[in-house]
Amino acid sequence: DMPAAARPALAEARFVGGQRFERRRGVQAHLAIAMAAPAWGDVDAYAAQLCADVAGGGSSSRLFQRLREDQG
């Protein structure tokens, strides 16, 4: 067994914005949007995750299904 050690202090993440474009072969388009959010231990973390899921989190979301099946 390894002796327990104190975890190093982590610097707070900082959102600085920006854009990135890539061209890939294939017919599917990909879009990713990132923004600052509460840390997982924060009291608002679960509410933020719920908001992300409602807005279109995952391939089973209404937004994903509509865009993929209705819009092609």
Side-chain angles (χ1 to χ4, degrees):
D1 290 326
M2 294 180 62
R7 290 185 170 183
L10 299 175
E12 185 173 324
R14 190 172 57 105
F15 180 72
V16 294
Q19 298 175 351
R20 179 177 165 181
F21 298 95
E22 291 183 21
R23 291 211 177 264
R24 295 184 180 186
R25 293 182 183 185
V27 295
Q28 283 190 340
H30 298 270
L31 173 67
I33 300 172
M35 62 190 71
W40 273 115
D42 194 290
V43 66
D44 293 326
Y46 292 106
Q49 184 62 49
L50 178 61
C51 181
D53 290 341
V54 168
S59 60
S60 62
S61 72
R62 291 181 192 169
L63 176 62
F64 182 90
Q65 294 296 323
R66 173 120 191 211
L67 290 173
R68 185 166 188 171
E69 294 174 11
D70 295 349
Q71 306 294 323

